[in-house]
Amino acid sequence: KQEVTQIPAALSVPEGENLVLNCSFTDSAIYNLQWFRQDPGKGLTSLLLIQSSQREQTSGRLNASLDKSSGRSTLYIAASQPGDSATYLCAVSAGGANSKLTFGKGITLSVRP
Amino acid sequence: GAGVSQSPSNKVTEKGKDVELRCDPISGHTALYWYRQRLGQGLEFLIYFQGNSAPDKSGLPSDRFSAERTGESVSTLTIQRTQQEDSAVYLCASSIDRARYEQYFGPGTRLTVT
């Protein structure tokens, strides 16, 4: 059974800092990995999708990497801003007949002005 | 274009009552998923629809839960005889197709069972 872990559960950093959020998964037979952002009381916003054949994806100040064989992904946020404060969720899909996502519990990020 | 929409946004119900939650996926998306997010827990998969194929119900926690989808449009998730442990945010997501494409989520329905 696939398990996704995100540690730490919470992180507080000063504005302007570059930071890395980690995600690990137990079964390397994934089809893709997706990073989401969730603001309090809101749904999920997709940030980046990495296919299993890819090593990284970039969008603006965000860069996500994937090391499938070791079961790890990182989300790099450059020059953090208070508006980046949110919960960041990592999810993996096994593909096949059902592409359901298996989620980690998320990392709650607080960027202090 | 319009994203995934869900209604109601909030629902408070008494234990033992039935509830229906609605999801409108993005037009043209053939895949539709329901997930549940309980307080302090990660998101849990509930059910998956792909076109006219039989749905994958493997994540439904009990036979009190059921869902329907009409073609490639609206889906409803029904919970019968609600229990307090059903209190959660119910999220719907859609995707152009399974596997390769990213899933887009709706804002969720917050269900509170009193």
PDB file of all heavy atoms in Angstrom, chain A residues 12 34 42 49 55 62 69 73 92 102-103:
ATOM      1  N   SER A  12       8.030  27.510   9.737  1.00  0.00           N
ATOM      2  CA  SER A  12       7.899  28.967   9.777  1.00  0.00           C
ATOM      3  C   SER A  12       9.233  29.579   9.364  1.00  0.00           C
ATOM      4  O   SER A  12      10.278  29.219   9.927  1.00  0.00           O
ATOM      5  CB  SER A  12       7.513  29.435  11.183  1.00  0.00           C
ATOM      6  OG  SER A  12       7.411  30.846  11.230  1.00  0.00           O
ATOM      7  N   GLN A  34       2.105  15.035  -7.954  1.00  0.00           N
ATOM      8  CA  GLN A  34       1.534  16.369  -8.052  1.00  0.00           C
ATOM      9  C   GLN A  34       1.720  17.094  -6.729  1.00  0.00           C
ATOM     10  O   GLN A  34       1.509  16.522  -5.657  1.00  0.00           O
ATOM     11  CB  GLN A  34       0.031  16.246  -8.405  1.00  0.00           C
ATOM     12  CG  GLN A  34      -0.547  17.393  -9.172  1.00  0.00           C
ATOM     13  CD  GLN A  34      -1.926  17.080  -9.773  1.00  0.00           C
ATOM     14  OE1 GLN A  34      -2.325  15.934  -9.961  1.00  0.00           O
ATOM     15  NE2 GLN A  34      -2.660  18.135 -10.094  1.00  0.00           N
ATOM     16  N   LYS A  42     -10.235  26.357   1.950  1.00  0.00           N
ATOM     17  CA  LYS A  42     -10.366  26.347   0.481  1.00  0.00           C
ATOM     18  C   LYS A  42     -10.045  24.961  -0.074  1.00  0.00           C
ATOM     19  O   LYS A  42      -9.563  24.080   0.626  1.00  0.00           O
ATOM     20  CB  LYS A  42      -9.388  27.363  -0.141  1.00  0.00           C
ATOM     21  CG  LYS A  42      -9.500  28.754   0.401  1.00  0.00           C
ATOM     22  CD  LYS A  42     -10.722  29.466  -0.108  1.00  0.00           C
ATOM     23  CE  LYS A  42     -10.713  30.919   0.331  1.00  0.00           C
ATOM     24  NZ  LYS A  42     -11.922  31.629  -0.110  1.00  0.00           N
ATOM     25  N   LEU A  49       2.918  19.323 -11.767  1.00  0.00           N
ATOM     26  CA  LEU A  49       2.742  17.897 -12.023  1.00  0.00           C
ATOM     27  C   LEU A  49       4.020  17.376 -12.657  1.00  0.00           C
ATOM     28  O   LEU A  49       4.502  17.951 -13.638  1.00  0.00           O
ATOM     29  CB  LEU A  49       1.565  17.674 -12.979  1.00  0.00           C
ATOM     30  CG  LEU A  49       1.368  16.259 -13.522  1.00  0.00           C
ATOM     31  CD1 LEU A  49       0.851  15.343 -12.429  1.00  0.00           C
ATOM     32  CD2 LEU A  49       0.415  16.264 -14.710  1.00  0.00           C
ATOM     33  N   ARG A  55      12.372  14.616 -14.369  1.00  0.00           N
ATOM     34  CA  ARG A  55      13.179  14.826 -13.168  1.00  0.00           C
ATOM     35  C   ARG A  55      12.738  16.071 -12.412  1.00  0.00           C
ATOM     36  O   ARG A  55      12.896  16.146 -11.197  1.00  0.00           O
ATOM     37  CB  ARG A  55      14.646  14.984 -13.556  1.00  0.00           C
ATOM     38  CG  ARG A  55      15.245  13.769 -14.201  1.00  0.00           C
ATOM     39  CD  ARG A  55      15.531  12.685 -13.202  1.00  0.00           C
ATOM     40  NE  ARG A  55      16.596  13.032 -12.275  1.00  0.00           N
ATOM     41  CZ  ARG A  55      17.017  12.233 -11.307  1.00  0.00           C
ATOM     42  NH1 ARG A  55      16.455  11.060 -11.138  1.00  0.00           N
ATOM     43  NH2 ARG A  55      17.983  12.615 -10.512  1.00  0.00           N
ATOM     44  N   LEU A  62       8.670  28.414  -8.204  1.00  0.00           N
ATOM     45  CA  LEU A  62       8.552  27.042  -7.726  1.00  0.00           C
ATOM     46  C   LEU A  62       9.305  26.083  -8.640  1.00  0.00           C
ATOM     47  O   LEU A  62       9.253  26.204  -9.860  1.00  0.00           O
ATOM     48  CB  LEU A  62       7.086  26.617  -7.675  1.00  0.00           C
ATOM     49  CG  LEU A  62       6.120  27.471  -6.869  1.00  0.00           C
ATOM     50  CD1 LEU A  62       4.715  26.901  -6.967  1.00  0.00           C
ATOM     51  CD2 LEU A  62       6.570  27.582  -5.429  1.00  0.00           C
ATOM     52  N   SER A  69      13.346   6.556  -8.032  1.00  0.00           N
ATOM     53  CA  SER A  69      13.955   5.328  -7.504  1.00  0.00           C
ATOM     54  C   SER A  69      14.138   5.375  -5.997  1.00  0.00           C
ATOM     55  O   SER A  69      14.041   4.357  -5.315  1.00  0.00           O
ATOM     56  CB  SER A  69      15.291   5.068  -8.185  1.00  0.00           C
ATOM     57  OG  SER A  69      16.178   6.145  -7.951  1.00  0.00           O
ATOM     58  N   SER A  73      10.524  13.462  -3.474  1.00  0.00           N
ATOM     59  CA  SER A  73      10.303  14.668  -4.265  1.00  0.00           C
ATOM     60  C   SER A  73      10.535  15.863  -3.368  1.00  0.00           C
ATOM     61  O   SER A  73      10.317  15.797  -2.149  1.00  0.00           O
ATOM     62  CB  SER A  73       8.876  14.706  -4.818  1.00  0.00           C
ATOM     63  OG  SER A  73       8.624  15.929  -5.497  1.00  0.00           O
ATOM     64  N   VAL A  92       0.753  11.252  -5.035  1.00  0.00           N
ATOM     65  CA  VAL A  92       1.256  10.392  -6.104  1.00  0.00           C
ATOM     66  C   VAL A  92       0.120   9.588  -6.697  1.00  0.00           C
ATOM     67  O   VAL A  92      -0.853   9.248  -6.031  1.00  0.00           O
ATOM     68  CB  VAL A  92       2.379   9.447  -5.614  1.00  0.00           C
ATOM     69  CG1 VAL A  92       3.574  10.249  -5.139  1.00  0.00           C
ATOM     70  CG2 VAL A  92       1.886   8.509  -4.542  1.00  0.00           C
ATOM     71  N   THR A 102      -2.778   9.415  -3.923  1.00  0.00           N
ATOM     72  CA  THR A 102      -2.500   9.131  -2.524  1.00  0.00           C
ATOM     73  C   THR A 102      -1.741  10.326  -1.976  1.00  0.00           C
ATOM     74  O   THR A 102      -0.680  10.678  -2.498  1.00  0.00           O
ATOM     75  CB  THR A 102      -1.667   7.852  -2.359  1.00  0.00           C
ATOM     76  OG1 THR A 102      -2.376   6.757  -2.957  1.00  0.00           O
ATOM     77  CG2 THR A 102      -1.426   7.557  -0.888  1.00  0.00           C
ATOM     78  N   PHE A 103      -2.297  10.935  -0.944  1.00  0.00           N
ATOM     79  CA  PHE A 103      -1.777  12.199  -0.429  1.00  0.00           C
ATOM     80  C   PHE A 103      -0.952  12.033   0.833  1.00  0.00           C
ATOM     81  O   PHE A 103      -1.209  11.149   1.663  1.00  0.00           O
ATOM     82  CB  PHE A 103      -2.942  13.126  -0.070  1.00  0.00           C
ATOM     83  CG  PHE A 103      -3.614  13.779  -1.241  1.00  0.00           C
ATOM     84  CD1 PHE A 103      -4.600  13.135  -1.954  1.00  0.00           C
ATOM     85  CD2 PHE A 103      -3.251  15.067  -1.621  1.00  0.00           C
ATOM     86  CE1 PHE A 103      -5.217  13.740  -3.034  1.00  0.00           C
ATOM     87  CE2 PHE A 103      -3.873  15.688  -2.692  1.00  0.00           C
ATOM     88  CZ  PHE A 103      -4.855  15.019  -3.404  1.00  0.00           C
TER      89      PHE A 103
END
